[in-house]
Amino acid sequence: MKITIYGWSTGQRSPCWQAMGRQDRLPGMELIARGRDADVFALDESRVLRRYRHEGRPTDLESRLMTHLAACGYPVPKVYEVTDTDMVLERLTGPTLQEALARRPWRVRDLGRMLGGLHDRLHGLSAPAWLPKRFGTAGDDRVLHLDLHPGNVILTGRGPVVIDWSNAGAGDPAADVAMTMVTVGSADVPGLAARLGRGLLLRAVQGGCGTDPTPRVQEAVNAKLADPNLTITEAAWLRNRAAVSAGP
């Protein structure tokens, strides 16, 4: 994963969108962002085309969830059209929370609490019956994003908007917060200042939400270790965390 904190850009691969300045894949369309699994093309001033590079991604489920969340008042991009591999979505204008951290590191506490608050708002919503279970509970499953890191929040004129719902599921809110802790915590961040900034961010996230991630951290570590896109540094951090948790 790529995380930018206190001006540092880290890692080689990223699950969030990276700006691109060239044409690719679709003639006549501008490729404006590239993620781990999909590309984003500009259609016009108000819409983008998000195209998965591999078939089999659940665009119908992802779009259905975003439409459901929008109806519940949760900040997500508007969905216009859906096919097996494509989604036409609202074009969002503004920096990611990750970019805002890099530009204004003194705001790390406020931005971290914002991210924690987005967790709380999401976890206030009961999961619809059709949402796949992940980290399930005894019967009070909530909507989980499961990749809610600073690169997946766009700071728009109407407020923060959460993107990339491809990993979402129904389950325990503690697992969602734990995945954020593990994703940000395992990022390859060089330099003492950047590591201190990451620590402040993670504490602010927990301070901004009412859910203790501790009971689900080990499960989050195990789930993250299964990600084929991990960097060597991320994988090493996660394996070390798993070994420490397992004990002698």
Side-chain angles (χ1 to χ4, degrees), residues 108-120 177 181 199-213:
V108 62
R109 289 188 177 87
D110 290 341
L111 294 171
R113 293 184 70 86
M114 175 189 291
L115 187 58
L118 288 168
H119 273 288
D120 268 3
V177 182
M181 299 293 109
L200 289 172
L201 175 66
L202 292 176
R203 286 193 289 276
V205 170
Q206 292 190 71
C209 71
T211 300
D212 179 10

Side-chain angles (χ1 to χ4, degrees), residues 15-26:
C16 60
W17 303 122
Q18 299 176 351
M20 304 289 288
R22 59 186 179 84
Q23 302 290 107
D24 192 20
R25 290 187 178 270
L26 293 180

Side-chain angles (χ1 to χ4, degrees), residues 17 25 31 33-35 37-41 49-51 53:
W17 303 122
R25 290 187 178 270
L31 176 65
R34 167 162 285 179
D37 299 315
D39 300 319
V40 178
F41 300 88
L49 171 69
R50 178 178 174 185
R51 166 163 288 183
R53 291 191 289 274

Side-chain angles (χ1 to χ4, degrees), residues 88-110:
V88 177
L89 303 172
E90 174 188 5
R91 185 171 184 173
L92 302 172
T93 301
T96 65
L97 195 152
Q98 174 177 315
E99 292 167 337
L101 282 167
R103 295 172 187 171
R104 298 179 175 85
W106 58 88
R107 294 194 61 204
V108 62
R109 289 188 177 87
D110 290 341

Side-chain angles (χ1 to χ4, degrees), residues 29-200:
M29 287 192 186
E30 179 190 1
L31 176 65
I32 59 173
R34 167 162 285 179
R36 181 176 58 195
D37 299 315
D39 300 319
V40 178
F41 300 88
L43 292 180
D44 53 38
E45 293 301 314
S46 61
R47 300 175 305 150
V48 296
L49 171 69
R50 178 178 174 185
R51 166 163 288 183
Y52 281 109
R53 291 191 289 274
H54 305 286
E55 294 184 2
R57 299 295 293 177
T59 53
D60 54 343
L61 183 66
E62 187 176 358
S63 61
R64 185 180 184 185
L65 178 59
M66 284 193 287
T67 301
H68 171 79
L69 292 173
C72 293
Y74 194 80
V76 295
K78 184 176 181 180
V79 180
Y80 294 106
E81 297 179 47
V82 181
T83 70
D84 289 343
T85 58
D86 300 347
M87 290 188 291
V88 177
L89 303 172
E90 174 188 5
R91 185 171 184 173
L92 302 172
T93 301
T96 65
L97 195 152
Q98 174 177 315
E99 292 167 337
L101 282 167
R103 295 172 187 171
R104 298 179 175 85
W106 58 88
R107 294 194 61 204
V108 62
R109 289 188 177 87
D110 290 341
L111 294 171
R113 293 184 70 86
M114 175 189 291
L115 187 58
L118 288 168
H119 273 288
D120 268 3
R121 287 179 64 184
L122 182 62
H123 302 152
L125 302 175
S126 295
W130 41 263
L131 192 61
K133 278 185 175 289
R134 295 190 64 190
F135 305 100
T137 68
D140 188 25
D141 287 340
R142 300 282 147 167
V143 178
L144 312 181
H145 184 282
L146 297 174
D147 200 19
L148 189 43
H149 59 73
N152 277 338
V153 179
I154 309 294
L155 304 180
T156 73
R158 71 171 189 263
V161 178
V162 179
I163 64 171
D164 195 355
W165 292 86
S166 58
N167 295 319
D172 183 0
D176 209 1
V177 182
M179 286 297 290
T180 296
M181 299 293 109
V182 167
T183 298
V184 176
S186 64
D188 185 8
V189 180
L192 178 60
R195 289 194 292 272
L196 289 173
R198 174 171 59 187
L200 289 172

